[in-house]
Amino acid sequence: MPCQVCVLLSGGLDSALLLAEAKKLKIRTHLIFVAFGFPWEAAELHFLKQISSFHFAKDNPPIEIRSFPYKNFHPLHWGFYPEQVPGHQSPDKAVGIPHRNQILLKNAFTLAQTRRLDEIWLGTLRGNPFSDTSRKFFHTLEQSFNITNPATIRVQAPFAQRSKSDLIRNFPNFPFALT
């Protein structure tokens, strides 16, 4: 049986190109978007739907939308207050969303487990400064999640060794305006 993958999507370039990669490799994909409740998520979903329609045309798989009420856990996070949004020159630490990848991956793992999928893909790129994007982090979560799973589900970041500019060069015919 061919590999089946749960792809974490945001509507941005990285995840859009993950779908392009899966399509190129003829991998069956299951799409998931985790909504934290941030104001920008409506725009992300708009672009995600465009990207999904572009990639899959008439075979468009449904996008699983999972909600995680992040404000209940981190009520003072800058993402809920437009006047507190860090500027483009802010340090990486200022723009972080604590436990983001752990939350994303737990939601994706649940979907992958119930659908008996082989892998979870996310769009981590080279140079990502956050500790929850390391292979060690992914491997540790993978081990933890698989304790309760009869099969092994792998967490993959296919672009972890590539930069955004590398990806753009490697997908020259991609309609980037859809992201």
Side-chain angles (χ1 to χ4, degrees), residues 45-66:
L45 278 168
H46 167 79
F47 287 102
L48 174 53
K49 289 174 184 173
Q50 287 188 127
I51 292 161
S52 179
S53 293
F54 167 77
H55 281 304
F56 299 106
K58 57 187 177 239
D59 301 347
N60 202 357
I63 300 166
E64 287 277 337
I65 300 173
R66 301 284 171 98

Side-chain angles (χ1 to χ4, degrees), residues 1-75:
M1 178 189 299
C3 181
Q4 293 191 62
V5 174
C6 175
V7 181
L8 276 157
L9 299 167
S10 68
L13 180 103
D14 312 341
S15 62
L17 294 177
L18 275 181
L19 284 182
E21 183 75 4
K23 187 175 180 183
K24 181 175 82 175
L25 298 172
K26 297 181 174 29
I27 294 173
R28 182 155 181 222
T29 57
H30 298 257
L31 315 180
I32 185 169
F33 176 85
V34 181
F36 282 63
F38 292 126
W40 58 79
E41 290 171 350
E44 287 181 330
L45 278 168
H46 167 79
F47 287 102
L48 174 53
K49 289 174 184 173
Q50 287 188 127
I51 292 161
S52 179
S53 293
F54 167 77
H55 281 304
F56 299 106
K58 57 187 177 239
D59 301 347
N60 202 357
I63 300 166
E64 287 277 337
I65 300 173
R66 301 284 171 98
S67 294
F68 183 86
Y70 194 70
K71 195 170 189 176
N72 290 348
F73 299 92
H74 202 321

